[in-house]
Amino acid sequence: MNRGSTTDRRQFLGQMAGAATVAGLSLPASPAAAAVSSDTDWIAGVKGTHRALFDFPQHKNGFPLLHILNYLNTYAQAFKTAPGTVGAVGTFYSAGAQSSIPLGFDDAVWAKYELGAYMGLKDAAGKPYTRNVFLRPTAADTHLLYQALGTPAIPMLEGAMPALGIESLQRMGTTFIMCNNALGLWTMELEARGKGTAADIDRDLRAHLVRGVTIVPAMVIAIDQAQKAGLTYNRQ
């Protein structure tokens, strides 16, 4: 690596670290059993003059989260926007092993329902994750991005991995929403996979929603509402 690329890498890692503390926002607590929000208060909670919804029904090893980080960080670093002037929305929905909906649940759910194995996501030692790796990822989880890209290790991405975590992005001004219709479908899928009855699974999942995630009636409606409210649309 030449001197120029080393400098660029250091600058990139510094920006990632700095961006993770730009907003310093507190996260709202989720209720013991999350209910469906049929209003649009979640849209009002997306602050800023620059607001975008990142639509990702598939988790893609965390790449949509990296794109949200890039959006927030570039405005802060390149355009010198003030804290609170840039907001983003991420979507958790769909069903099946590639869906993004498991990202909305805490470590207890990932362990109990063996979501790492279900999603085909393994740690650096080759063992299925028993925690929500996208909630608080570390540099040791960067191999997921390399797998998504199909590339060798890229050192520049190692500094980005912790910053693209869901909790990190929430502190930076990101709102995450989950589709209630997709949650119902996924609950029935888990029942079909022998994980319990749909009713019990539904209660369990709602009690273990990641803090700050809002359940909306239908993602197709939420996306429509967001666009009508002036949020730009970014398909992942």
Side-chain angles (χ1 to χ4, degrees):
M1 182 179 292
N2 61 38
R3 181 176 179 182
S5 60
T6 300
T7 300
D8 291 343
R9 179 191 170 197
R10 288 174 179 170
Q11 183 179 19
F12 177 86
L13 297 183
Q15 290 175 348
M16 292 297 107
T21 58
V22 165
L25 302 176
S26 59
L27 306 182
S30 293
V36 182
S37 175
S38 59
D39 56 37
T40 56
D41 286 351
W42 66 270
I43 298 178
V46 184
K47 305 300 183 182
T49 53
H50 309 285
R51 303 186 300 168
L53 183 144
F54 290 76
D55 179 17
F56 54 100
Q58 294 187 328
H59 62 79
K60 298 183 179 179
N61 284 30
F63 245 85
L65 301 176
L66 179 62
H67 290 157
I68 294 176
L69 175 64
N70 185 34
Y71 174 79
L72 298 171
N73 180 65
T74 301
Y75 263 117
Q77 299 295 327
F79 294 92
K80 309 302 180 184
T81 53
T85 60
V86 183
V89 176
T91 60
F92 298 149
Y93 69 114
S94 193
Q98 295 302 311
S99 71
S100 60
I101 201 165
L103 277 63
F105 299 101
D106 65 18
D107 293 348
V109 165
W110 275 59
K112 180 176 181 178
Y113 296 98
E114 302 175 301
L115 297 188
Y118 162 77
M119 299 167 73
L121 298 175
K122 299 179 180 180
D123 62 22
K127 297 180 180 180
Y129 282 105
T130 56
R131 61 180 173 87
N132 183 346
V133 61
F134 302 109
L135 187 58
R136 306 177 199 91
T138 70
D141 302 313
T142 313
H143 63 280
L144 294 175
L145 298 181
Y146 305 149
Q147 290 171 4
L149 284 171
T151 66
I154 303 174
M156 182 180 291
L157 290 178
E158 293 177 8
M161 195 67 188
L164 64 76
I166 292 167
E167 286 189 344
S168 171
L169 293 176
Q170 286 176 320
R171 289 191 293 270
M172 294 172 66
T174 303
T175 297
F176 289 97
I177 58 176
M178 178 181 292
C179 176
N180 189 62
N181 289 342
L183 176 57
L185 176 61
W186 193 57
T187 296
M188 289 186 285
E189 180 188 342
L190 291 178
E191 180 183 55
R193 292 177 179 273
K195 299 299 184 180
T197 66
D200 288 341
I201 294 170
D202 182 78
R203 283 191 294 268
D204 197 16
L205 295 180
R206 291 177 191 274
H208 290 275
L209 198 68
V210 166
R211 184 176 56 169
V213 173
T214 297
I215 298 180
V216 297
M219 193 60 69
V220 290
I221 301 299
I223 292 172
D224 179 62
Q225 291 172 330
Q227 289 182 290
K228 288 178 179 177
L231 278 72
T232 57
Y233 178 79
N234 196 314
R235 175 68 176 188
Q236 298 297 294

